[in-house]
Amino acid sequence: MRKPFVAGNWKMHGSRDANARLVQGLRTAMTAPLASHCDVAVCPPFVYLADVAVQLQGTPVALGAQDTCAEPGPGARTGEVSASMLLDVGCRYVLVGHSERRQFHGEDDGLVARKLSAALAVGLTPILCVGESLQERDAGLTHHVIARQVDAVLDAAGVAAVGRSVLAYEPVWAIGTGRTASPEQAQEVHGFIRGRIAARDGNIAGSVRLLYGGSVKASNARELFAMPDVDGGLVGGASLNAEEFVAIVAAAARK
Ligand code: PEP
C-alpha cells in the first residue's frame, strides 16, 4: 500500500571525485526491479547538487537537499538557498528539521513548519525529521517531544501538507552513534506518530510514509523495515557506501 522509500543523507561529506564514484556505484548496483519496489533519493550538500543531478540522470535515484530557506525568495538572505532554487537544480525532496539543524543551528518547530510549507509551495516533497534526545527518552518524554514536533507542523501547515510530505523518526541518540533503536522501539514511536496524524485525518495517516533513521545499516535494515509502520529509512553514514546503501534499499524493496 505504501511504497517503501530510502533516502541517503550525505551530510557534510563528499567531494566532486568522491561523489562521482559513489553515484557510479549506485548506477551499477541499483537494478530496475529494485527501483520499482522502492523509491530512492540521495541528499548531497548544496554545492554538489547540480553536479550530482547530472550524474544521476538515467538512474532511478532522485535528488534531495539537506535544508531549505523558509522564505520563498529571491531576496536578501545571504547564505541561504531557497526551495525554488533546489527545484531549479533538479531536487525532488528536501530534509526539514534534521536534528543537526535543530541542535547546531537553533531551528525550532515553528521554523521547521515554515520550511516544510516553503518546500511544498514549489512542489518539493519535504522529509520532516523528528526525534527525541537521550535525556528526553530517559526522562520518559519521548511521546511528549514527538507530539510537540509533529503537532507544530500539523497546526501551522495543516494535515494535508503533512500528507504531501514524508516523515522520518530519527532518535537523536541513534544518529551517527552506531546505536540503533530496536525494531520494537522504532515501531512504537512510528505507531504513535501515525496515531497523532490519524487524530486529524485517518486516510492521510494511513498513506503517509514514515521512515526510520539512526544508524541504519545493511545488517539491521531488514528487521527494522519488517515493522508494520516503518516504511523505509533515512540513512546517514551507510549512504556513503554504494554497496551498503543499495543493500539497505534491497531490504526495503522486500518489504
Ligand atoms: C542521518 O544523518 O539522518 C542519520 C540517520 O545518520 P546515521 O545513519 O549515520 O545515523
Side-chain angles (χ1 to χ4, degrees), residues 9 11 98 170 174-176 213-216 234-237:
N9 174 14
K11 309 199 194 201
H98 191 280
E170 297 208 306
I175 298 179
S215 299
V216 175
L234 178 54
V235 183

Side-chain angles (χ1 to χ4, degrees), residues 172-248:
V172 179
W173 46 272
I175 298 179
T177 59
R179 185 179 162 191
T180 317
S182 69
E184 294 73 23
Q185 284 173 320
Q187 170 57 33
E188 195 274 322
V189 178
H190 282 227
F192 177 76
I193 294 171
R194 214 178 282 289
R196 209 77 199 167
I197 301 168
R200 315 273 177 130
D201 188 309
N203 287 335
I204 289 176
S207 62
V208 73
R209 292 185 288 187
L210 306 183
L211 313 184
Y212 167 78
S215 299
V216 175
K217 305 187 249 324
S219 58
N220 59 25
R222 199 166 182 179
E223 54 178 14
L224 284 160
F225 300 161
M227 294 291 114
D229 286 302
V230 179
D231 303 313
L234 178 54
V235 183
S239 71
L240 299 171
N241 178 308
E243 234 175 85
E244 180 84 5
F245 185 62
V246 173
I248 293 168

Side-chain angles (χ1 to χ4, degrees), residues 19-253:
N19 299 345
R21 283 195 299 275
L22 181 50
V23 175
Q24 185 51 44
L26 295 178
R27 181 182 286 280
T28 308
M30 198 73 69
T31 61
L34 259 192
S36 68
H37 289 105
C38 182
D39 289 334
V40 185
V42 293
C43 305
F46 284 140
V47 289
Y48 298 125
L49 285 170
D51 270 1
V52 175
V54 172
Q55 292 158 0
L56 288 175
Q57 275 170 14
T59 78
V61 181
L63 188 68
Q66 298 175 15
D67 187 28
T68 180
C69 181
E71 305 301 324
R77 290 287 185 281
T78 303
E80 293 270 36
V81 176
S82 70
S84 56
M85 290 172 179
L86 299 177
L87 191 73
D88 190 33
V89 296
C91 288
R92 184 155 160 213
Y93 299 97
V94 60
L95 305 181
V96 296
H98 191 280
S99 65
E100 288 153 17
R101 300 295 312 172
R102 294 179 191 257
Q103 190 179 349
F104 302 125
H105 300 272
E107 294 196 7
D108 61 18
D109 294 328
L111 179 60
V112 171
R114 290 201 295 120
K115 289 187 175 200
L116 179 133
S117 294
L120 286 171
V122 302
L124 291 172
T125 299
I127 302 173
L128 168 66
C129 305
V130 299
E132 81 287 0
S133 68
L134 188 57
Q135 293 91 317
E136 289 163 341
R137 174 163 282 263
D138 287 347
L141 293 172
T142 299
H143 283 190
H144 174 81
V145 171
I146 300 295
R148 192 201 73 222
Q149 293 174 337
V150 173
D151 287 357
V153 177
L154 286 167
D155 290 344
V159 67
V162 170
R164 289 162 57 212
S165 308
V166 174
L167 273 75
Y169 168 55
E170 297 208 306
V172 179
W173 46 272
I175 298 179
T177 59
R179 185 179 162 191
T180 317
S182 69
E184 294 73 23
Q185 284 173 320
Q187 170 57 33
E188 195 274 322
V189 178
H190 282 227
F192 177 76
I193 294 171
R194 214 178 282 289
R196 209 77 199 167
I197 301 168
R200 315 273 177 130
D201 188 309
N203 287 335
I204 289 176
S207 62
V208 73
R209 292 185 288 187
L210 306 183
L211 313 184
Y212 167 78
S215 299
V216 175
K217 305 187 249 324
S219 58
N220 59 25
R222 199 166 182 179
E223 54 178 14
L224 284 160
F225 300 161
M227 294 291 114
D229 286 302
V230 179
D231 303 313
L234 178 54
V235 183
S239 71
L240 299 171
N241 178 308
E243 234 175 85
E244 180 84 5
F245 185 62
V246 173
I248 293 168
V249 173

